[in-house]
Amino acid sequence: MDRAGKLAEGFAEAVAHWVDLQWSATIEHLRMVAPQTHGRLLDVGCGQKPYYDIIKPHVDEYVGIEYAPAFVETASSTKGKRGPDIVYDGDRMPLPDESFDTVMCIQVLEHTPKPQALLDDIARVLRPGGLLVISAPFSFRLHEEPNDYFRYTPHGLRKMLESAGLEVTSTLQQGGFWSVV
């Protein structure tokens, strides 16, 4: 692609992020919680690690993991930026128990056909007293089809996290009427 094409693509992406209120809210909330992240961090469903620059200054190590088939099927694998450090089959993350101080799972849960199993596995790799930063949509357009399976209420997500043995200490509402419209 020539220079003009790259500039046009970059401009289109910037406008899309400005118009997409859901994306803006995600970034705003991540900036708010980033100082709480620490130690060794695992980004579950990292794609091209779009949150790396926000989180990396607060952690010692940033490790990204991705479900191999979904990564290959989406645009994430073609943008040529950062990629996952680990790809796996989606059943059990090939990581030792209690090996991360912080786990981040941002807008990924809706893309797994077995979300409770993923949360259980996240709880397994999170150290006791560790921090999970998770975001999942309630009202959002279909995306990355056909791998878009679920939407979550705050109450349902809390139940799932508690079933995985995790304690919910804080929640932030992301968006509202205008981001849904």
Side-chain angles (χ1 to χ4, degrees):
M1 181 181 300
D2 66 1
R3 187 170 190 269
K6 287 181 182 179
L7 285 172
E9 184 178 272
F11 178 75
E13 187 173 328
V15 169
H17 287 208
W18 178 74
V19 171
D20 189 340
L21 297 177
Q22 193 82 18
W23 175 258
S24 299
T26 298
I27 296 301
E28 178 184 334
H29 285 149
L30 279 177
R31 285 193 173 119
M32 289 170 45
V33 301
Q36 297 173 43
T37 63
H38 61 281
R40 193 163 186 240
L41 177 133
L42 178 66
D43 184 352
V44 177
C46 68
Q48 289 293 337
K49 299 180 184 171
Y51 316 115
Y52 181 90
D53 292 333
I54 296 169
I55 301 297
K56 180 58 180 135
H58 304 281
V59 298
D60 298 327
E61 183 181 4
Y62 190 114
V63 177
I65 189 167
E66 186 62 69
Y67 173 56
F71 184 71
V72 170
E73 291 174 11
T74 66
S76 296
S77 64
T78 63
K79 290 190 179 183
K81 297 179 183 173
R82 298 177 186 104
D85 301 294
I86 302 165
V87 291
Y88 78 115
D89 63 8
D91 286 331
R92 180 182 163 98
M93 291 184 278
L95 300 164
D97 294 358
E98 301 178 0
S99 53
F100 290 89
D101 303 293
T102 304
V103 176
M104 186 169 75
C105 183
I106 307 300
Q107 304 299 87
V108 171
L109 206 56
E110 72 270 23
H111 298 292
T112 180
K114 298 184 243 172
Q116 188 64 57
L118 179 59
L119 291 175
D120 293 345
D121 207 23
I122 286 171
R124 179 185 65 78
V125 301
L126 188 62
R127 289 189 176 125
L131 173 68
L132 170 62
V133 178
I134 187 165
S135 174
F138 173 63
S139 294
F140 196 66
R141 68 184 181 280
L142 287 173
H143 59 289
E144 294 190 23
E145 295 178 59
N147 300 312
D148 188 357
Y149 305 110
F150 302 104
R151 297 296 181 267
Y152 298 91
T153 67
H155 315 293
L157 190 54
R158 178 182 293 272
K159 271 283 202 217
M160 293 173 73
L161 292 166
E162 289 170 352
S163 291
L166 298 166
E167 178 187 358
V168 177
T169 59
S170 177
T171 61
L172 293 171
Q173 179 178 328
Q174 184 173 305
F177 177 78
W178 288 110
S179 62
V180 171
V181 170

